[in-house]
Amino acid sequence: QVQLVESGGGLVQAGGSLRLSCAASGRTFSSYTMGWFRQAPGKEREFVAAINWSSRSTTYTDSVKGRFTISRDNAKNTVYLQMNSLKPEDTAVYYCAASRSYYGTRTFPYEYWGQGTQVTVSS
């Protein structure tokens, strides 16, 4: 079992930055793919970024490429999402997710999910 707790959300003006953190429990964190997803009001949950267990592979949705960076610290059981040049359309609840064997952009293969952290970007 893996428990995930997100933090770092908040209210920021357009063009600003936030860093989200996701702290994971469990001794096998370092073997999991970690992902960030987001869900805006009235919309489906969508993929944002993922990082494989070794940090050698990362992938992003097109709308955040060049602005967001996913990283992880396996010694701290934590994954991060650095978000720069934020836009109002980035407003959403951001979720951290973990998968034992899947690396990719689809939602359902991720077995574990956090409760989410709200990010609001004002124009």
Side-chain angles (χ1 to χ4, degrees), residues 2-76:
V2 175
Q3 292 186 326
L4 305 173
V5 179
E6 303 96 334
S7 62
L11 174 64
V12 63
Q13 289 187 335
S17 298
L18 283 174
R19 188 175 83 154
L20 305 183
S21 299
C22 174
S25 65
R27 292 174 291 178
T28 58
F29 170 83
S30 61
S31 66
Y32 283 68
T33 290
M34 299 300 297
W36 285 98
F37 292 77
R38 65 187 180 186
Q39 188 166 18
K43 296 187 177 181
E44 292 187 354
R45 191 169 298 188
E46 65 172 356
F47 170 79
V48 176
I51 187 167
N52 80 327
W53 68 274
S54 67
S55 300
R56 290 180 180 176
S57 294
T58 59
T59 187
Y60 301 88
T61 191
D62 285 347
S63 63
V64 308
K65 285 180 181 177
R67 300 189 298 123
F68 291 11
T69 303
I70 189 171
S71 62
R72 67 190 297 162
D73 185 337
N74 287 341
K76 295 182 178 180

